[in-house]
Amino acid sequence: MLLAVPLRLIGRLILAVLAVMGLAGLFLTLIVLTDGARSGLAAWLTTLGAAIIAALWRGRGRRWPGRLWPFAPVVVAAVLTASVCVPTVPTTRQYPPDLPFVATGHWSLSTGSRVAVYHYPPAAGAPRRPTPFVYLHGGPVRGISVLDHRFLRLLAGQGYDVYAYEQPGGGRSDLLPMEQYTISRSVRDLAAFIDRLDKGPVDVLGFSAGAVVLTRALAAPSVAARVHRAIIAEPGPMDGPTTLISGQQGRPSARGLAPAPTGPQATRVPRYAVALGLMQLGLLPPGTGLITQAEGVNAVKAADLGGDTASAYCERDAGRIPAENTAENFSFSVAASLRIQQTIKDSPSIAPELKRSRTPAMLMIAECSSQVRQWETAVLAADLAIERTQYMPGVGHHMWNGLDDNNQRAAAVITAFLQGEPAPLRNYPTRADISAFLRDHR
């Protein structure tokens, strides 16, 4: 008899835990089915109502206080799931403060986008380059990192008239309605930005997601006519067929080797862990009713991208990855980014149009690239106007990273191409080298 009481209690505790888990599972299922309506309250109230009915049914015929026991897991589950419905950051957009070293302008483009603009004029005494230089940052829909700003200042120090803008939804740029985040809109924004600049054709450096925007711009003759020379650095997949490629990456990166990121993380807060996790799994749309777009941008912190950041550096750099950003400057819209990526996945091949491009272009590939190699070689194979490829040794996806002389080496490669000078590195891989390159550089 003495042993029967603890066993009965243990049994009840196990049943209570299973009940809590079941209610949490029901809640998550309803979040998906209701699209997170009313910040998750629709799912929460439905779950709570079902749980109370089940507890009343289980407690029927029992004496007090035995009837209260079935309500214990209901209370626990209600508290746990309620945390998913309560915002812990502002639900209206909180823009980063201005940077101390560059003025922030705001341009309204003909597309309807209002973007944050940064201008680094040529340094005094440097040989002035006649063609304006425009930088398209990665992401998509992140702010321009402080590390990138330093690289842009380096280029301005070499005489370039440098302009950069943050994509709508990122950094200090205004948000768009979720359905307007498309890769086509990004290309139109580039054309509108160049028109707003009103200085004729410009040289464009597109990095990562920005390289995808640039590649697609080169496949659109009306936009390509605005580009004087194009530098495609570490591109992601350029269209739907390319996104289906799951080939090899470059030399080993620092992912999994670098120290764990420090600082606050949205993914440690139940509300944002659920919302962002279900979005990434495709179970919630980017425009979910669970969190607003602005709330999502406010919530995500640099530490949430720790593994992603480490993958942009070589294995040997795992112990010295630089701080790419400040907490105040960091900005990333996961929802808008996923939405744009989905429109790339849904798009048909642009290879036929890209083959007709006549804009002189250069492709930059990192040795420790975290990008799928075939994403990069697909651009090389399709764009017949690519005049040279520069395979950058000793660097990862983020090629200008402030380590050693990496910034200077990247700037030298860019300058040589834009000025029509001999390349610092051999032209490799060429189109004829693609098969051997994919075989030898794993």
Side-chain angles (χ1 to χ4, degrees), residues 89-90 266 272 276 291-300 332-334:
V89 300
Y272 306 112
L276 300 176
I291 61 172
T292 66
Q293 179 188 169
E295 184 187 352
V297 179
N298 295 338
V300 175
F332 180 41
S333 175
V334 174

Side-chain angles (χ1 to χ4, degrees), residues 327-363:
E328 297 77 18
N329 186 62
F330 178 81
S331 171
F332 180 41
S333 175
V334 174
S337 180
L338 289 172
R339 165 74 182 162
I340 290 177
Q341 291 178 59
Q342 187 60 51
T343 65
I344 296 174
K345 293 177 182 178
D346 294 340
S347 69
S349 171
I350 64 168
E353 293 79 11
L354 193 56
K355 287 183 184 296
R356 293 192 287 269
S357 175
R358 295 296 178 265
T359 304
M362 175 177 71
L363 178 65

Side-chain angles (χ1 to χ4, degrees), residues 7-21 69:
L7 286 177
R8 184 180 303 168
L9 181 60
I10 292 172
R12 286 185 174 181
L13 289 174
I14 291 174
L15 290 175
V17 170
L18 292 175
V20 170
M21 293 173 62
W69 176 252

